[in-house]
Amino acid sequence: MQAIVIDAFGGPEHMALRDIPEPVPQAGEVLVRIDYAGVNPIDWKLREGMMAKVFPHHFPLTLGWDASGAIVQVGAGVDRGCIGQAVFAYCRQFGAPAQHGTYAQYIALPAALAVPAPPNLSAAQAAAIPAAALTAWQGLFDAGALRRAETVLILGGAGGVGTLAIQLARHAGACVFATASEGNHALLAALGADAAIDYDGGALEAAVRQLAPGGVDLVFDCVGGAYLTLGPRLARRGGRLVAIAGAPDAELARELGVSAERIVVGANPAQLRQVANLLATGQIVAPPVEELALHQAALAHARSKAGHVRGKLVLRIPH
Ligand SMILES: NC(=O)c1ccc[n+]([C@@H]2O[C@H](COP(=O)([O-])OP(=O)(O)OC[C@H]3O[C@@H](n4cnc5c(N)ncnc54)[C@H](OP(=O)(O)O)[C@@H]3O)[C@@H](O)[C@H]2O)c1
């Protein structure tokens, strides 16, 4: 099968489209024909070796952790009735080395991880969901303990995680503030943000103080960088900060009486099924999605690394 593979960490030139053996589903696994692979910032971070110490890995390594497609074969012990089912999945398996990713025509994975895709989404839209939605869910609800009527500030509202986080927080009954460049404010409002805040010009803190004078109940930081120290100042005393793109300033957070935590997303098919249900019933919608071809993976990584993808990029897998 065709796949985008790396033999060593490094620049985009390390990515090669080549033929590798098609996986064979083992007991308890399904084989998924991948129609689209979601592109996440972790893909280029992994490729560049930034995560080498965090994730065990084996070369040759096929990149990509998000997939949409259909089950085409099952391993021993899996009911054949699922063959043909359209599915989407977050394919990283906790503890397993990174090696068999989704920038490929097929992937074998535990049957439980392949969740029926919402029928009203295109395959391209479905591939945009798993990692971003699970990160938003786990950040807002598992770590962030967000409750109805609380205020939440989502730093980075226009990206893959942010566009889903705004909607999930809103659906949970929270009052949602989100940051993005001005050109994306209409998108944030359409997704349900109560206020869209520009992050240029250093006026962010003042804008948040105006909306929530004592600070918000929860800050969800999807950007990192300077926000790792600014974030704790934006939460109220006794409030929470959850960060996904770096470790927040723990000492500052302690001084300010804010509990701060950095999380790493994990596969959770039960949560993905709940997200699928919200999508299928129109309670949330897929982020804006831009398609590129599998052989354009280097372009996709350059776009992702530049930091201004609106919604999600996905790669179309040829068959
Ligand atoms: N810990 C985990 O498990 C985990 C899981 C998923 C993602 N992440 C990390 O979390 C980050 C976000 O992921 P993602 O998939 O949402 O990324 P993404 O889709 O690439 O995010 C791009 C968005 O970031 C916005 N942005 C850039 N600079 C900003 C700033 N200073 N303030 C506000 N918004 C800004 C851009 O909006 P504008 O164009 O309007 O600036 C753009 O829409 C990445 O670093 C990723 O690696 C971590």
Side-chain angles (χ1 to χ4, degrees):
M1 67 170 180
Q2 288 190 307
I4 296 278
V5 176
I6 58 171
D7 293 315
F9 294 128
E13 69 283 358
H14 283 256
M15 287 192 282
L17 181 62
R18 60 172 196 250
D19 267 321
I20 61 169
E22 194 175 298
V24 177
Q26 303 301 301
E29 291 187 337
V30 295
L31 183 70
V32 173
R33 182 201 69 227
I34 302 175
D35 293 330
Y36 285 88
V39 175
N40 290 290
I42 187 67
D43 300 345
W44 59 261
K45 292 179 183 179
L46 184 68
R47 191 247 302 143
E48 292 190 352
M50 291 168 66
M51 315 306 290
K53 293 205 175 102
V54 183
F55 297 118
H57 51 271
H58 286 316
F59 296 115
L61 188 161
T62 302
L63 293 164
W65 284 342
D66 271 339
S68 69
I71 296 174
V72 291
Q73 214 182 308
V74 298
V78 180
D79 184 352
R80 292 182 58 79
C82 67
I83 291 177
Q85 169 74 54
V87 292
F88 65 164
Y90 176 61
C91 300
R92 187 171 87 83
Q93 293 172 53
F94 186 73
Q99 184 174 27
H100 305 296
T102 59
Y103 291 10
Q105 290 181 308
Y106 296 93
I107 190 165
L109 74 166
L113 292 188
V115 170
N120 55 332
L121 261 58
S122 69
Q125 289 173 317
I129 304 294
L134 289 173
T135 307
W137 189 291
Q138 291 166 21
L140 292 172
F141 306 127
D142 294 349
L146 183 65
R147 290 181 295 269
R148 176 168 296 282
E150 284 195 316
T151 48
V152 57
L153 171 67
I154 296 166
L155 300 169
V161 178
T163 49
L164 286 155
I166 290 171
Q167 299 183 78
L168 290 173
R170 185 65 204 251
H171 179 261
C175 175
V176 183
F177 311 136
T179 65
S181 56
E182 206 181 335
N184 282 326
H185 284 195
L187 171 65
L188 305 195
L191 295 172
D194 295 280
I197 304 169
D198 206 341
Y199 59 81
D200 275 340
L204 169 59
E205 192 169 353
V208 173
R209 292 273 159 224
Q210 213 167 11
L211 291 162
V216 295
D217 296 304
L218 173 66
V219 175
F220 185 39
D221 175 7
C222 305
V223 178
Y227 289 157
L228 297 174
T229 42
L230 178 59
R233 296 185 194 286
L234 304 174
R236 67 167 168 82
R237 183 164 281 277
R240 292 96 65 201
L241 163 66
V242 176
I244 60 169
D249 187 331
E251 207 179 307
L252 177 63
R254 230 184 342 266
E255 271 170 31
L256 296 170
V258 170
S259 77
E261 185 183 351
R262 176 192 195 171
I263 62 151
V264 176
V265 63
N268 189 321
Q271 289 174 350
L272 191 54
R273 280 175 194 272
Q274 292 185 69
V275 169
N277 181 52
L278 292 175
L279 288 159
T281 51
Q283 295 178 80
I284 64 170
V285 298
V289 169
E290 188 183 337
E291 287 185 36
L292 293 169
L294 179 61
H295 66 84
Q296 294 176 297
L299 173 62
H301 281 201
R303 293 272 314 280
S304 175
K305 193 173 176 183
H308 296 287
V309 170
R310 181 183 159 90
K312 292 288 296 188
L313 294 175
V314 297
L315 299 175
R316 196 172 45 251
I317 311 296
H319 284 280

